[in-house]
Amino acid sequence: MKKCFSIIFFLLLITEIYGQVVPISSITINNSNGVPTDTGQFKTVTGVVTVANQFGGPSYLQDNTGGIAVFYNELSAAVSIGDSVIVTAKLSHFNGLTELVYSTNGGTPSFSIVSSGNSYQIYTITVSQFINQAWNGHEEWEGRLIRINGLTITGTGTFQPNTNYNVGDATGNTQLRIDNNSNLVGTLIPTGTFDCIAAASQFKSSAPYNSGYQFLPRFTTDIFQSGGPIIQTPPSETNISPTSITLNWTTQNAGDTKLKYFRSDSSNQNVVFTDSVYSAVQTTNHSVTLTSLSPGKIYYALAYSTNAQGTSVSSPKYFSTASHPSSTGKFEIYFNKPVDNSFAMPGNNAVGDVDLKVRLGQRIDSADYSIDLAMYSFNEVTQIKDKLINALIRGVKVRMVYDHRDGSIQQLVQDLINAGVKVQQRPQGSNIMHNKFFIFDARNDNSFSDDWLWTGSANITNDQFYTDAQNVIFIQDQALCNAYTREFEEMWGSHNEINNPSNAKFGTSKLDNTPHIFNINGKRVECYFSPSDNTSTMVENMIEFNTNKSIFFCAFAFTRFNIANKMKAQFNPPSKMVRGVFDDGNGTDPSSVYPEMKGIGGSIPWNPPAPVYLDGQTGLMHSKYILIDSDMPSSNPILQTGSYNYSTAATTGNDENLLFIYDSLAANQYLQDFAKRYTLAGGSIDIKQISAVIPEDYYLGQNYPNPFNPVTSITFSIPESQNVSLNVYDALGRHVASLISENQSALVGAGTYKVTFNTSSISGGLPSGVYYYTLRADNFVQTKKMILVK
């Protein structure tokens, strides 16, 4: 009796909180144009989640009457497949796909997870059933999880993000779509027949919405192949050294292991295998270590696995050995605006206020064999043009790839052409050649210590060098230079001094044919190019799988919500922070992520809002970098930099380059630039960890320098994770500033920390005098005195 009463009470409670729960099939009834008849009304349904956040959004859920998509970011981030949920949201549709959407217009959206680990039905149908859904009021399969067997697909290589593939069975043909958030991106397209589990969806841009059906597999295990072991993950590299490397891949079923490979010196080489490795051991985890390789060179490989059912072959794999030991792996990082060296790790001051023209000119002058440059804009800085011409005169081989500039040529580029520099121009189109890189002396093997790469955010113009905020990085590394040369020559169209316009490839014509993982002097570096290398997905994965404490960024253009949503999923103040600086004009662009992050606009404003700011300085804020855990050295910080704007155009059409550098020192130098840009924009960085060593006791250090004007630093140590606050008071005991988490205590882990106190960031400033700072922790309070002298 008690159990029966509890169930009745629970159902009454649901009705009271969420409103009338209705079957999903009752809200998916359409009018003659395929639009839900109750569009705009708030509906409450309950069902089991079949797609959580595998697509980033929407999620999908189904009951025993039907299925529906739910575009509700907070729900997608909170639920897992198999959760039973109750959802209240507004009924709508997106290009024919019936959805429940988050909206506060006309009602109150809500959701609740009732239970987890529930089973759900997968409906096995044919392609004919799928594309000829009974359209007598609603689509039978849309929103449900379906399985179609015996499919074949048009396409080879690896799955690309946000791409539709033609598939068919014996009954008809339809579209299989790969969402850019799915882990299917970059995996092998099936060969032969396969079965597929997927979310039944639809995309048709105009009424009537009675076609355009497509289905989306959620992850790699939703595709089932027959005939051979079936390679699930393509080969990936580990243990990279100058003369050896290990390649690893997995298969769905056990099979033997074979790898064929050869050195690939240019993008136009024929596939001619000269070496192979074989193991007859039947396994699903395959690993091959190659030895006696050449340092700093690119190789091409194919992995094979065979069992009684047949042979499976991987997509082409390009990999690089580490550079020759004489290659130093040195990083030189420069900023053309002031930096905040108070955030520097010992002996690691960033270099700000650099004349980029001078530093680049010095590198051009030191080149003695080759210079390859890919540059979006090149004008006004006549000294760089003159130095390139002088290099050509003294026998240096100079090649240039250049944007289409809407059919025109900038004057300095024309001067280079007139002087004999060969230039390959991108054909006119809607996208651009947006790279900004130079490669020095990488095309000969006389020396490996003079191979330098220059990249970053700066074009070669006076405004870019002197007015706009920029960052550039020089890297001395043979292997990385060779990868950039491979990308350059794909756009150049040949492997020699004469460009071949008929063979030159840009934008979506380019292939994923460069190595991506490098060992540079013991540091992991990843290199990707747009649009061939799934750049947005790589940035999203970097954020999702590596963030432990903070995400800081400077963004000229940031309209890619896929990336912003990954940041949002990590944002959990004060333990995980997202801070950023946007360029003024681009930040206020209607398509920018800034309003949502700031909590002041957009479709779903962040709540709580992120402390992000518009630059507000003279010139453009033109940097494009993201820092992961740069204020936490123990967390293997990552620097992402390059020419890549965080936009769809930069992801899917423009020619771009970007680097991930796993190095605490490089990330710390960029942190010093970020801290300055962020402070000038109106923000403040609360605290940074300088040691993860667990101290024996609490400690509050004396500020340094003391006396000071206007900046000083305070260090403290705590022996265990706890809530900490650090506040500043004047001589009369009046509160002046909160140095940790803006008047709130922050959960801080065990270790030693440094906090920077900049009096110039306080409105109106502070007068000279004696001030006191107090550290409060769970079991500790201490106050010390400091003196401000102006």
Side-chain angles (χ1 to χ4, degrees):
M1 185 67 181
K2 288 182 179 179
K3 182 177 180 181
C4 181
F5 177 78
S6 297
I7 293 172
I8 293 171
F9 177 77
F10 179 67
L11 292 173
L12 288 173
L13 183 64
I14 289 174
T15 302
E16 176 69 22
I17 295 174
Y18 293 97
Q20 181 65 42
V21 176
V22 299
I24 290 176
S25 62
S26 70
I27 67 172
T28 58
I29 299 172
N30 298 323
N31 63 22
S32 59
N33 277 325
V35 176
T37 56
D38 290 340
T39 293
Q41 297 181 26
F42 272 72
K43 298 290 184 178
T44 299
V45 300
T46 183
V48 176
V49 175
T50 57
V51 178
N53 65 345
Q54 284 73 31
F55 305 148
S59 297
Y60 287 72
L61 58 95
Q62 64 188 39
D63 61 13
N64 60 1
T65 71
I68 193 167
V70 183
F71 193 76
Y72 192 159
N73 285 347
E74 283 79 2
L75 179 142
S76 295
V79 300
S80 299
I81 291 174
D83 285 350
S84 175
V85 297
I86 303 169
V87 183
T88 298
K90 180 177 285 189
L91 187 64
S92 183
H93 84 99
F94 178 74
N95 290 301
L97 175 63
T98 302
E99 293 183 327
L100 288 171
V101 300
Y102 178 98
S103 174
T104 56
N105 181 16
T108 302
S110 59
F111 73 90
S112 178
I113 301 173
V114 178
S115 61
S116 299
N118 297 282
S119 61
Y120 49 87
Q121 186 170 353
I122 301 171
Y123 299 87
T124 300
I125 62 174
T126 65
V127 169
S128 177
Q129 289 175 288
F130 181 61
I131 61 177
N132 297 303
Q133 299 188 41
W135 205 55
N136 54 356
H138 72 274
E139 290 114 331
E140 184 175 4
W141 306 115
E142 183 186 284
R144 289 177 164 178
L145 199 65
I146 62 172
R147 176 169 179 156
I148 303 178
N149 297 328
L151 290 166
T152 57
I153 189 168
T154 302
T156 59
T158 58
F159 281 124
Q160 300 302 301
N162 288 339
T163 301
N164 283 25
Y165 294 88
N166 294 319
V167 294
D169 65 4
T171 69
N173 297 288
T174 187
Q175 298 285 305
L176 179 150
R177 181 169 179 81
I178 299 299
D179 186 89
N180 71 302
N181 289 283
S182 165
N183 70 358
L184 282 152
V185 173
T187 63
L188 290 172
I189 294 173
T191 57
T193 59
F194 66 99
D195 305 339
C196 183
I197 293 173
S201 186
Q202 184 181 21
F203 188 95
K204 189 172 187 292
S205 59
S206 61
Y209 302 103
N210 58 355
S211 61
Y213 299 112
Q214 57 188 19
F215 56 89
L216 290 75
R218 301 163 298 176
F219 25 63
T220 56
T221 52
D222 275 345
I223 289 181
F224 307 84
Q225 292 179 259
S226 58
I230 312 302
I231 295 177
Q232 286 191 310
T233 59
S236 61
E237 56 266 58
T238 57
N239 303 322
I240 303 170
S241 81
T243 58
S244 65
I245 196 167
T246 300
L247 295 178
N248 311 278
W249 68 95
T250 62
T251 52
Q252 181 174 301
N253 305 304
D256 63 11
T257 300
K258 186 175 184 179
L259 189 91
K260 295 181 179 181
Y261 66 99
F262 68 97
R263 206 173 99 179
S264 178
D265 292 321
S266 78
S267 57
N268 298 311
Q269 262 180 278
N270 293 324
V271 176
V272 180
F273 293 107
T274 56
D275 298 277
S276 64
V277 176
Y278 177 72
S279 170
V281 176
Q282 299 285 298
T283 182
T284 58
N285 294 305
H286 306 262
S287 183
V288 170
T289 297
L290 305 178
T291 59
S292 301
L293 305 177
S294 300
K297 296 299 183 181
I298 297 172
Y299 286 81
Y300 176 105
L302 286 179
Y304 298 78
S305 186
T306 301
N307 61 16
Q309 285 71 47
T311 297
S312 300
V313 185
S314 74
S315 56
K317 172 66 180 179
Y318 293 87
F319 65 89
S320 175
T321 50
S323 298
H324 189 275
S326 64
S327 194
T328 65
K330 182 180 181 182
F331 295 160
E332 293 182 7
I333 297 168
Y334 301 106
F335 305 94
N336 68 335
K337 297 292 183 180
V339 298
D340 187 346
N341 291 137
S342 69
F343 283 81
M345 296 170 66
N348 193 50
N349 280 11
V351 184
D353 282 325
V354 173
D355 189 332
L356 301 179
K357 174 189 68 182
V358 172
R359 189 64 195 92
L360 178 58
Q362 291 170 339
R363 181 55 58 195
I364 294 172
D365 287 344
S366 67
D368 62 11
Y369 185 82
S370 64
I371 301 173
D372 292 331
L373 66 146
M375 194 59 55
Y376 170 66
S377 189
F378 189 113
N379 209 22
E380 304 165 342
V381 189
T382 57
Q383 295 91 334
I384 298 299
K385 179 261 296 184
D386 291 341
K387 287 180 179 293
L388 286 170
I389 293 174
N390 288 336
L392 184 71
I393 292 172
R394 68 173 185 269
V396 176
K397 304 173 188 298
V398 182
R399 307 184 296 184
M400 181 178 185
V401 170
Y402 177 58
D403 187 54
H404 55 70
R405 311 301 304 180
D406 298 323
S408 64
I409 296 178
Q410 291 173 307
Q411 183 56 56
L412 263 60
V413 178
Q414 188 61 55
D415 291 346
L416 291 173
I417 294 171
N418 294 342
V421 174
K422 291 291 185 180
V423 175
Q424 172 63 52
Q425 197 166 7
R426 192 190 207 267
Q428 281 187 257
S430 58
N431 294 109
I432 57 178
M433 203 297 300
H434 193 248
N435 280 301
K436 307 144 197 339
F437 65 77
F438 284 74
I439 312 161
F440 298 95
D441 290 334
R443 292 201 286 135
N444 69 336
D445 288 342
N446 295 336
S447 171
F448 305 113
S449 62
D450 60 357
D451 299 0
W452 284 90
L453 170 73
W454 149 300
T455 189
S457 61
N459 292 294
I460 312 301
T461 70
N462 283 329
D463 278 349
Q464 292 272 285
F465 275 12
Y466 299 110
T467 304
D468 307 333
Q470 307 283 2
N471 70 94
V472 300
I473 183 168
F474 278 109
I475 303 176
Q476 198 287 293
D477 186 71
Q478 172 202 7
L480 188 62
C481 285
N482 283 340
Y484 270 78
T485 300
R486 168 67 61 85
E487 177 72 8
F488 177 91
E489 290 185 342
E490 188 170 27
M491 297 183 289
W492 182 248
S494 82
H495 188 52
N496 54 42
E497 306 311 311
I498 306 301
N499 57 308
N500 183 351
S502 65
N503 198 41
K505 294 180 175 60
F506 295 88
T508 55
S509 296
K510 294 190 303 185
L511 302 175
D512 182 0
N513 56 10
T514 59
H516 299 308
I517 301 175
F518 300 85
N519 176 2
I520 299 182
N521 201 20
K523 300 165 186 173
R524 180 185 176 97
V525 173
E526 298 176 22
C527 167
Y528 302 100
F529 299 99
S530 281
S532 60
D533 297 355
N534 307 323
T535 44
S536 179
T537 300
M538 299 306 158
V539 175
E540 295 161 39
N541 290 343
M542 175 191 72
I543 292 167
E544 180 176 3
F545 299 116
N546 295 281
T547 304
N548 292 305
K549 185 175 186 290
S550 64
I551 303 168
F552 300 157
F553 65 86
C554 282
F556 173 64
F558 195 165
T559 58
R560 186 76 174 168
F561 278 85
N562 306 64
I563 296 174
N565 288 339
K566 292 296 184 181
M567 292 182 176
K568 185 176 184 180
Q570 295 295 323
F571 184 48
N572 184 27
S575 59
K576 278 191 181 182
M577 293 299 298
V578 174
R579 294 183 172 91
V581 182
F582 292 78
D583 176 65
D584 295 347
N586 285 281
T588 55
D589 184 286
S591 60
S592 172
V593 305
Y594 171 77
E596 278 202 8
M597 277 193 176
K598 193 71 172 177
I600 59 176
S603 299
I604 307 177
W606 287 26
N607 184 20
V612 295
Y613 298 88
L614 299 177
D615 176 51
Q617 304 299 303
T618 301
L620 302 175
M621 206 301 299
H622 196 254
S623 286
K624 314 128 187 328
Y625 63 76
I626 296 175
L627 305 175
I628 304 295
D629 293 347
S630 59
D631 55 343
M632 189 178 183
S634 62
S635 185
N636 193 20
I638 306 172
L639 157 67
Q640 181 272 306
T641 187
S643 71
Y644 178 75
N645 286 311
Y646 309 110
S647 70
T648 297
T651 301
T652 62
N654 295 351
D655 302 298
E656 309 274 4
N657 72 96
L658 67 162
L659 292 170
F660 299 168
I661 300 174
Y662 294 71
D663 178 55
S664 59
L665 296 177
N668 176 254
Q669 291 197 29
Y670 272 75
L671 173 62
Q672 295 167 56
D673 177 74
F674 175 80
K676 189 67 174 181
R677 307 280 78 71
Y678 191 69
T679 302
L680 290 174
S684 63
I685 300 178
D686 304 325
I687 182 175
K688 63 176 180 175
Q689 186 182 48
I690 58 176
S691 174
V693 176
I694 299 176
E696 294 182 359
D697 204 350
Y698 295 93
Y699 168 78
L700 177 63
Q702 184 63 51
N703 68 299
Y704 180 83
N706 188 42
F708 70 96
N709 178 36
V711 179
T712 190
S713 296
I714 300 166
T715 59
F716 68 89
S717 301
I718 57 171
E720 59 185 355
S721 297
Q722 56 196 277
N723 290 312
V724 173
S725 66
L726 182 61
N727 294 283
V728 179
Y729 305 89
D730 64 15
L732 298 177
R734 294 175 296 195
H735 184 266
V736 170
S738 293
L739 302 186
I740 296 182
S741 198
E742 301 167 357
N743 291 314
Q744 299 178 11
S745 63
L747 179 63
V748 176
T752 300
Y753 297 83
K754 181 167 74 171
V755 178
T756 300
F757 179 36
N758 188 343
T759 61
S760 63
S761 65
I762 298 175
S763 178
L766 292 177
S768 297
V770 174
Y771 293 86
Y772 298 88
Y773 56 98
T774 300
L775 176 71
R776 288 184 174 85
D778 290 351
N779 301 299
F780 179 81
V781 178
Q782 187 172 358
T783 299
K784 290 196 173 184
K785 180 172 69 175
M786 59 184 171
I787 301 172
L788 172 63
V789 177
K790 292 188 172 181

